[in-house]
Amino acid sequence: MAMFSGKTALITGSGAGIGRATALKFAAEGANVVVSDIHAAGGEETVAMIHKAGGRAMFQLADVSDSADVAALVAGAVDEYGRLDCAVNNAGIEGRIAPLGDQTEANYDAIMAINAKGTFLCLREEIRHMLAEGGGAIVNLSSVAGLIGFPGLSPYVASKHAVIGMTRNAALEYGKAGIRVNAVCPGGIDTRMLDSLADQATGGSRSSQQMMDPLHPIGHIGTPEEVANLIVWLCSPEASFMLGAVIPVDGGFVAQ
């Protein structure tokens, strides 16, 4: 039997990248998958990929920085599939690269609204439903930028540190109620976000792989699927003693 047969998994920001890979992995393991993104085209494409492979999925448009959207998203998942067992709070943006003294308030607000407030709003709604159902598993997406500093990315670094703080606190508050909350911290992963950062940092003169491969002790950046494998495992019964963990999946980046 598939690991998540009869279970429901919600993944925000699953129209591309790590979110899409996670949605596909959950579907392959038998879950009913709720795909959510602020970009409908990408989200619908993820659903089509799941359907083509014989899985079950629905798409719901949502802005995670909007409390009404988040409440509707989680309620919609429960209405469609009758339960919410797993949630992956993946939606995030990188913003603009600049030293802190040159950062704009608008850039800071935009990043914090999605990465930090969005994670808070999603956690709040997911926990409320999981409490009523007797438990569940939640994985938040932080970053190696939640563990160390990155010059030029102060708002992003602040937002990802905030995700780790919320993860640990939620784990302590709800672990005894059967809700396991953990976080993963990807390093350089082959996604559009990394491409955007590379373009900003090098003016388009170097690809994300050219810029980031040498920075990882393993010798290369990672794939979305490599992160998805860890996320889905953390939601599985095999990770039943994992609570409040903050796990780098980074090819040794923060071990340096």
Side-chain angles (χ1 to χ4, degrees):
M1 179 182 292
M3 189 184 303
F4 291 94
S5 180
K7 306 293 187 181
T8 300
L10 164 65
I11 305 99
T12 66
S14 44
I18 293 170
R20 171 175 287 176
T22 302
L24 293 172
K25 177 71 172 176
F26 267 116
E29 292 290 347
N32 304 311
V33 179
V34 181
V35 174
S36 181
D37 204 285
I38 199 169
H39 302 294
E44 294 286 8
E45 185 177 15
T46 300
V47 169
M49 294 169 72
I50 291 172
H51 287 168
K52 185 176 180 180
R56 295 176 301 279
M58 61 170 280
F59 172 70
Q60 187 160 334
L61 189 74
D63 176 354
V64 298
S65 69
D66 184 288
S67 60
D69 269 19
V70 172
L73 170 62
V74 178
V78 175
D79 287 345
E80 180 71 18
Y81 294 120
R83 57 189 297 135
L84 179 64
D85 302 282
C86 308
V88 181
N89 298 319
N90 167 74
I93 60 173
E94 75 280 3
R96 310 307 300 173
I97 295 177
L100 194 148
D102 297 326
Q103 286 281 354
T104 66
E105 187 174 351
N107 188 53
Y108 175 87
D109 288 345
I111 292 170
M112 295 299 287
I114 299 294
N115 299 2
K117 180 184 175 184
T119 298
F120 161 75
L121 293 174
C122 288
L123 276 169
R124 187 177 66 174
E125 291 301 319
E126 293 153 3
I127 286 168
R128 287 171 175 173
H129 282 271
M130 288 179 179
L131 282 173
E133 295 163 15
I138 301 172
V139 176
N140 296 323
L141 268 291
S142 183
S143 165
V144 290
L147 300 170
I148 58 176
F150 277 84
L153 292 173
S154 291
Y156 182 77
V157 168
S159 74
K160 292 303 186 177
H161 275 70
V163 169
I164 289 175
M166 280 187 281
T167 297
R168 288 173 169 153
N169 229 61
L172 295 176
E173 291 171 348
Y174 296 102
K176 290 182 180 178
I179 301 174
R180 295 188 302 103
V181 186
N182 295 288
V184 299
C185 299
I189 305 297
D190 188 12
T191 61
R192 289 196 302 242
M193 180 182 289
L194 192 65
D195 289 340
S196 171
L197 290 171
D199 285 344
Q200 291 187 62
T202 69
S205 64
R206 301 173 70 195
S207 71
S208 57
Q209 288 182 309
Q210 290 171 327
M211 184 179 78
M212 296 297 293
D213 279 356
L215 303 181
H216 292 72
I218 204 168
H220 56 82
I221 60 174
T223 68
E225 291 75 19
E226 288 172 314
V227 183
N229 289 339
L230 175 59
I231 293 169
V232 173
W233 178 79
L234 282 169
C235 289
S236 78
E238 294 180 350
S240 57
F241 202 53
M242 299 293 291
L243 179 70
V246 177
I247 308 175
V249 52
D250 66 349
F253 191 94
V254 298
Q256 300 178 97

